[in-house]
Structures are given as C-alpha cells and as structure tokens.
Amino acid sequence: MNQAVPFITFQPSRGQSTVEAMESYLKIFGDGRVLLDNRYGPGGPGAEGTVIMAEIEIAGQRLRLSDSFVEHEWNLTPAVSLMVDCESSEELERIFAELSEHGTVYMPLDDYGFGPFGWVGDRFGLTWQLGLASA
C-alpha cells in the first residue's frame, strides 16, 4: 500500500544539517528511533558525512530527511508544519521551549479558543504546531 511520509530537505550550504536535526529531534521527543542513516563517503557528490537519506520516527511519525548537495532557491516554509499532540501541559511547555530555542515563535503558547497551543519554527527551519492531545 502507498504511504505518505514527510520528506525534509536540508541545505548544508545554508548552515542546515540533517545530522544535527535528527539528534535534536530524537533528544527533544525522547521516544524516537533512527530507522535509516545513509551518509556520503569520500568522493561522493555530497560532502563526506552529510546525509543521503535518513529516516527517523518521533512522536509516532516517520520522517525522511536529507542533506541536499544542490543549492536550491527555496527554503523550508512555515506554511507546512508538523502537528504534535502532547500528553501533558508540562510536556507541551518543554517541547515548545526546546524547539523554539534559536528558532522563531509564530504563535506563543496560549489558549486560542481551542485549548493550549503554540506554533514554532525550530533552528533548522522546520515548523511545529503543538497542542494537547486531550484538548
């Protein structure tokens, strides 16, 4: 059966790093795991150690990640984000704080009429909408 999996392209030429993003997300969410980590060796089209293709699972969601050795005109956009339903207010606050460190807060944690919610762009450019599972 077909399956849609979010694919995130990082651009090392802009200071983005799949390896750093993976390590950060696995630490923040704590329940994740690496499913695939395929990197360029010496003489590859990408810089040695950058990621050809990686796949991780965090917060119950698989994500595919890659470092592009081609510099693209576009960048990650906040128009597409990952939605995470947190189990508690404490978890929501912790994850929001960690993702927003050196990032951009689009909507601070607040109750916008549909329960506690926050929207943040992390330091890698990926955006996250965070709420409570029970709300």
Side-chain angles (χ1 to χ4, degrees):
M1 172 182 240
N2 294 332
Q3 183 179 19
V5 177
F7 188 101
I8 300 132
T9 303
F10 294 98
Q11 297 190 70
S13 63
R14 294 187 183 166
Q16 301 168 347
S17 165
T18 295
V19 172
E20 288 180 24
M22 285 192 319
E23 290 171 354
S24 180
Y25 301 152
L26 290 167
K27 179 181 172 233
I28 289 169
F29 290 96
D31 66 345
R33 61 190 176 122
V34 176
L35 304 172
L36 172 71
D37 187 354
N38 188 8
R39 300 185 192 197
Y40 289 107
E48 185 174 356
T50 59
V51 175
I52 300 169
M53 178 75 65
E55 189 168 326
I56 61 173
E57 185 177 84
I58 55 167
Q61 175 65 54
R62 289 175 41 206
L63 301 175
R64 289 195 186 134
L65 314 162
S66 180
D67 287 315
S68 179
F69 62 87
V70 175
E71 186 167 344
H72 301 284
E73 292 299 316
W74 44 262
N75 209 345
L76 297 175
T77 172
V80 176
S81 59
L82 297 174
M83 179 72 191
V84 178
D85 294 323
C86 299
E87 295 296 320
S88 68
S89 295
E90 294 78 22
E91 182 182 53
L92 173 65
E93 291 168 8
R94 179 188 62 77
I95 291 173
F96 185 89
E98 290 183 32
L99 288 173
S100 63
E101 188 174 336
H102 304 293
T104 302
V105 174
Y106 294 104
M107 292 177 75
L109 281 178
D110 203 347
D111 188 331
Y112 294 93
F114 46 85
F117 174 83
W119 193 341
V120 62
D122 66 28
R123 66 186 175 111
F124 307 105
L126 190 60
T127 58
W128 304 81
Q129 295 187 56
L130 306 167
L132 283 180
S134 61

